[in-house]
Every structure is written in C-alpha cells, then in structure tokens.
Amino acid sequence: MEFVASSDPSLHAVLYFTLMFFIASTGSLLLCFVIRIRRLRHIARSERVEAQWRQFCFQALMTDQPESLPPMDQRDLYDLVEMWLQTFDRIRGADAAKGLIRLGEWLDLSNRLLPWLKSNVMDEKLLAIMALGLLKERRALSVIRQKLDDSYPLLSLAAMKAFMDIAPEEGLPELMKRIDTPGWPMGRVRQLLTSAPRQLQTQYLGVAAETLLKDQLPHLMELVFALAPSEATEVAKICLRRFPDHELLIQTILKHTADPQFLPLARVSCQSLVPEARSEGLLALGRLGSADEQARLIHHLNSDTWHNQQAAAQSLMQLINNARSAEEISMQLSSESALLHWAELLFEKGWLRNNDAAVWIPSETTARTQVAFHG
C-alpha cells in the first residue's frame, strides 16, 4: 500500500508497465487458447468429413451410381471439395475422372462453389477455381479470365488450368501469350499445353511463332522442342525470320536442334562476342557438323574461355572415331588448359597414352588399369 500510495512518478510508471505487461500476457495466452480450440475443431470436422465422404469418392471411381448420398452440410464444403480434388490428383484414367465428376454433379458442387469465386478468402477462391475447372463449368469463365493475370502466381496458374479444362480452344491462345509469366514453372506450362488436342497445339505453335513478343520466343522454342520436335525446324525458321539477331533465341535453338540446316547458324554463333552464345555454337558443331569443323574447334580449344574450351573438346570428340585421330589433335594443342580438357576426354574413352609414347591404352581397358597407368 505504501508502494501504491507513493507519489514518486517513476514508481507509478513501473506499476503501470507491470500491469500492462500482465494484461498483454494474459490476452496473448487467451488468444492462443482460442486459436488452439478453433484448430482442434477444424481438425475434428475434417476427420469427420473424410470418414463420412471418402467411401463415396472411391465408389464413384468404380460404379456409375453410388449408394444414396447423405445430406451435405454447407460448413463441410471446403473439406469435402479439398478431399475431392486430392482424389483427382491420385487417379489415372478418363473413366475414373468421369466418376468423380458425376459425384461432383450429384453434390451440386458447381452451384455451391460459384459464389466462392468472389470470396475474400484466397483459399476458397483457389479451391473454387480448381474444382469448377474440373467440372467444366462455363459460368465460371468470366471470373477465371480476370484471374489469368493475377499477381499471385498460384492463383493465375490455377485459373489458366481451369480455362484449359473448360475451353481449350479459347484457353490455348491465352496460354501462349503467357508462357513467360513470372512464377509459372516451364514444366507446368508444358503440361497445360499438352492437355489441349494435338491439332490445336500444332495450329497455335505456328501462330505463336508469328505473333509472340521477342522475349517470349526462346520460351516458345523450349516448349516446341519438348512437345513437338517434328515441328521445331519450321517454328525456328519463322522465329529467326522475325528476329535473326536474337542471341537468346539462337542459343535456345542450337541447344536443342539436331537438324543440319542450322550448321551455318552454329558457325556464326561461334564468332559471337558473348561466351554463352559461343558455347552453344561449339556444342552444336559436334552434333550437326563433320570432320570439316575440326580446325574451328581446335582454334577455340586453344584460345577460348575455360568453359568454351570444354565445349570445343566435347564436340571434337564427337567428330573422331579412333585413337590415331585423337593423337593428331593432341599435337595441335598449344595451351595447358586445352591439353587438360583433351586429356580428360581421352581418359574417358580409354585412349590416353601411358609413359611410353608408342603405347596406347585400348578402349576396353578398365578404369582400374587406367588409374594404374596414370595415377
């Protein structure tokens, strides 16, 4: 009481600080308790929903008409749709997917989820877009179009997938315009492209080569080489006709092509001032060229950067088929780094000489014997 009654301002400040600290601590504990209780209730509801509805998901995979469905509480919608989507992810085959779609129709998921497209809760909005796409609900297209350019990559990518599920003929042009969207993995873009009918793919690859922006064309060529290699040469020619000096585009083409038509492009690329462009050109010479390219490759093996020397050595090795030719190339190497790169490849082939210059180790020699000779 004497402490409380004291008129010393500093003591009052200590008292108030202590009281405030106690109140804040109590409030934090109560908040944690409330959050914990809500979390436990959510877990319990999720487990109840799974126990009640999982069997119907599996029945839908195997039968045309499952047992009579129990009434569904709207509060269980999120957990039910999440479980339904997870089942989709685990199955393979169009027939099984049709069964789950029928289940979604019986549960009237479309009408239940359409309002969620405008929800302020991101998880609800994302879940609704994914589910309505699988249900091919065209009433959702207007909102889905708006989300294609959302700043949140997960939401925009989900919207793009839903668009492709509902209307691939309308979605494919939109997908091609966005193949370089930040946050969209190239592998995922490739999956979306393959979900379209093959005829549509072929049609829009040519259109994309004619219409996409300059910086998008390397991404387009990556997709073409991965999904439609038979179309790659023609698409590459269209792109190069539009932007003949686009170095990243040229690098992408040379990295993947096996068409000898691009040999002149590889030769020109070897003269680039950009080391990465020279590297792709040198590697392409080994795939596209013949023994006529040896002089060019030896020049770069002697004088280029360390990485490009390695590329030149790899291409040279692709163009020769015997140890004697390899020995002749060794005699033309003038730098220590070139000799190191070349010796490494000779060792891998089993052509590296031992201390006796007249003796060569045959290609059948084991790695153990190689080490015995060369340490």
Side-chain angles (χ1 to χ4, degrees):
M1 292 300 296
E2 183 179 339
F3 175 80
V4 175
S6 172
S7 60
D8 190 341
S10 62
L11 294 179
H12 286 177
V14 171
L15 175 62
Y16 293 146
F17 176 80
T18 303
L19 289 173
M20 292 300 295
F21 180 78
F22 176 77
I23 293 171
S25 299
T26 304
S28 299
L29 289 173
L30 288 174
L31 180 61
C32 290
F33 178 75
V34 171
I35 293 174
R36 176 64 174 167
I37 292 298
R38 291 182 62 183
R39 176 63 178 166
L40 290 175
R41 287 179 177 175
H42 176 72
I43 292 174
R45 184 172 64 251
S46 298
E47 292 176 347
R48 177 181 56 77
V49 170
E50 179 164 1
Q52 182 179 14
W53 289 98
R54 176 69 70 184
Q55 57 177 321
F56 296 104
C57 287
F58 287 125
Q59 285 181 20
L61 299 178
M62 297 178 288
T63 63
D64 293 335
Q65 180 67 48
E67 299 175 5
S68 57
L69 300 175
M72 188 184 73
D73 191 329
Q74 183 68 19
R75 292 174 299 178
D76 298 338
L77 181 61
Y78 184 94
D79 295 300
L80 176 57
V81 174
E82 188 175 42
M83 181 181 63
W84 184 75
L85 289 172
Q86 289 172 356
T87 309
F88 251 107
D89 290 338
R90 295 171 183 169
I91 65 171
R92 295 293 183 271
D95 291 338
K98 289 178 181 177
L100 285 174
I101 291 173
R102 283 196 300 269
L103 177 62
E105 293 170 350
W106 291 330
L107 293 173
D108 197 24
L109 292 185
S110 293
N111 289 323
R112 292 175 183 269
L113 290 173
L114 281 170
W116 279 14
L117 291 175
K118 298 182 180 179
S119 171
N120 294 323
V121 180
M122 178 61 70
D123 287 348
E124 291 182 354
K125 191 183 304 182
L126 190 60
L127 207 69
I129 287 174
M130 291 189 292
L132 291 170
L134 292 172
L135 291 168
K136 304 187 186 305
E137 179 53 71
R138 297 191 69 90
R139 289 178 294 173
L141 274 180
S142 59
V143 177
I144 287 173
R145 282 181 183 272
Q146 298 171 13
K147 302 303 178 185
L148 293 178
D149 297 310
D150 194 272
S151 59
Y152 184 38
L154 189 59
L155 182 62
S156 61
L157 189 58
M160 189 71 257
K161 182 185 182 304
F163 203 162
M164 292 295 293
D165 287 336
I166 297 170
E169 69 285 350
E170 299 176 42
L172 191 55
E174 301 296 333
L175 173 62
M176 300 307 292
K177 295 176 187 176
R178 296 169 174 81
I179 57 176
D180 60 341
T181 300
W184 287 18
M186 184 57 68
R188 196 73 181 99
V189 174
R190 193 181 304 138
Q191 289 178 352
L192 292 178
L193 186 58
T194 55
S195 67
R198 179 66 180 175
Q199 184 178 358
L200 277 179
Q201 293 180 38
T202 304
Q203 174 185 345
Y204 280 105
L205 286 176
V207 173
E210 294 280 9
T211 58
L212 289 186
L213 301 176
K214 178 180 179 180
D215 292 338
Q216 292 178 308
L217 293 180
H219 297 275
L220 173 65
M221 289 310 308
E222 291 277 1
L223 290 171
V224 173
F225 278 112
L227 300 176
S230 61
E231 311 288 336
T233 295
E234 291 305 315
V235 175
K237 287 179 179 179
I238 296 172
C239 295
L240 289 172
R241 187 170 63 246
R242 294 178 62 203
F243 302 103
D245 300 321
H246 188 355
E247 285 197 340
L248 186 55
L249 172 63
I250 293 171
Q251 290 176 45
T252 305
I253 293 171
L254 293 178
K255 179 179 180 180
H256 297 287
T257 187
D259 193 330
Q261 294 184 57
F262 294 103
L263 180 58
L265 185 65
R267 290 170 178 162
V268 172
S269 189
C270 289
Q271 301 172 9
S272 172
L273 299 177
V274 180
E276 293 79 9
R278 292 200 306 276
S279 176
E280 294 299 345
L282 291 167
L283 290 170
L285 286 181
R287 296 195 310 274
L288 310 179
S290 63
D292 296 337
E293 309 302 328
Q294 286 190 17
R296 190 188 309 273
L297 290 168
I298 290 172
H299 168 72
H300 284 278
L301 181 53
N302 276 322
S303 60
D304 214 320
T305 64
W306 177 271
H307 180 73
N308 288 352
Q309 284 180 313
Q310 189 176 46
Q314 291 172 358
S315 287
L316 267 174
M317 189 58 73
Q318 288 180 272
L319 299 178
I320 63 174
N321 54 18
N322 60 76
R324 184 57 56 189
S325 299
E327 180 184 16
E328 293 172 357
I329 290 174
S330 297
M331 302 303 175
Q332 301 177 58
L333 302 182
S334 57
S335 68
E336 182 179 355
S337 57
L339 289 167
L340 285 172
H341 284 299
W342 194 238
E344 180 181 355
L345 294 179
L346 293 178
F347 181 83
E348 293 176 0
K349 295 284 286 187
W351 291 346
L352 190 62
R353 290 185 300 172
N354 67 3
N355 293 331
D356 183 358
V359 179
W360 283 76
I361 297 176
S363 59
E364 297 82 22
T365 305
T366 64
R368 188 185 188 93
T369 306
Q370 290 273 15
V371 173
F373 270 110
H374 306 293

